[in-house]
Amino acid sequence: MVNFEKVKEVIAAAEADAASFYEKGNKAAGTRLRNAMQQLKVLATDIRKEVTELKNTEK
């Protein structure tokens, strides 16, 4: 559940960068947004592994 909370934090932090990039054309915000999306990808993979592991140990 810790990783899921981290996902929510990253999304909240990336929201301002997304607005700056798409609405204002701020290229630095685009770089930060890409970094946040990479972090989300890693966290999502970690969550998938954790869920699979917990599911398999409960049997």
Side-chain angles (χ1 to χ4, degrees):
M1 194 67 179
V2 172
N3 284 332
F4 190 76
E5 293 299 322
K6 288 181 185 177
V7 166
K8 293 193 307 187
E9 290 173 11
V10 171
I11 289 173
E15 191 171 3
D17 288 328
S20 291
F21 177 71
Y22 286 112
E23 295 171 5
K24 299 176 184 172
N26 184 332
K27 291 182 182 184
T31 300
R32 290 189 299 272
L33 181 58
R34 286 182 26 237
N35 185 11
M37 294 299 107
Q38 182 63 36
Q39 289 176 351
L40 288 173
K41 179 181 173 184
V42 170
L43 286 169
T45 301
D46 291 346
I47 290 171
R48 286 177 48 92
K49 289 177 185 175
E50 182 180 337
V51 167
T52 301
E53 183 178 302
L54 288 173
K55 184 179 75 167
N56 290 338
T57 58
E58 291 179 359
K59 289 184 178 182

